[in-house]
Amino acid sequence: MIQHAEINETSPFDLAQQAAQVIAQRTGVARHDIALVLGSGWGQAANLIGEVVAEVPAAEVPGFHAPAVAGHVPVMRSIRTEGGRHVLVLGSRTHYYEGKGVRAVAHGMRTAAACGATIAVLTNGCGGVNPDWAPGQPVLIRDHINLTGASPLEGATFVDLTDLYSQRLRDLAHEVDSSLPEGVYAQFPGPHYETPAEVKMAGILGADLVGMSTTLEAIAAREAKMEVLAISLVTNHAAGISPTALSHEEVIEAGAQAGPRISKLLATIVERL
Ligand code: 8IG
């Protein structure tokens, strides 16, 4: 399908190389070690990670688009940790529901890999299927269910996802906070939230969390041989789990409430990666 239409265009890997060149130029950092994607509610979380070396508007880097969601930050930042590691912080992501194609969704991870990153840290805001998790609860993603029906891989690219969410990195996160629960994240296509029946279905399928991002990026990161750590912030009970309706304002509010805790958590984890 898409492959034929795109066969004469720039390959996604060439585009990622071009983006990486611009990032190296604009930041003055030849190689980044870690990629960090900030999802809903995580906008402030990078502030404690280290010293901001450079900021580059995402729209000025090949293949990146201005973000579609209020509350997302349209800049890339190069941050140097106390330990001297270079973290490429992507302040926003392209979501599958934007309809720009799966290549656009995967571009951040491919660019990070082209920048030299060997570890990807993906964060998101999501709905909690597990009723015990109150809004504001951070959860490590242990595995995922990709309900988009899409893949960032093209052609006969068979990639093993048995250990997609690195046990080594989850162990490191647990050294920082042993109380962090783990869960299975189901990505729905969005942009609508689920119906209560869909949330019930996701729970029966084994999901603890429902969201609209992360799984396609994680697959692209794995294709690019990166180790993946993913952390969700439960910003709302998924539809039907609590009697109240969902709103984007609630999501922003939960992120703001949990901000200080998750900022510190993320910074401490990144320092150890
Ligand atoms: I934040 O309840 C956030 N993102 N699919 N469902 C889905 N995505 C979300 C939700 C949610 N909350």
Side-chain angles (χ1 to χ4, degrees), residues 40 125-127 188 193-194 210-212 235-236 238 246 251:
S40 293
C126 71
F188 280 81
Y193 294 120
E194 297 70 31
V210 288
M212 304 178 195
T235 56
N236 56 276
L246 275 57
V251 167

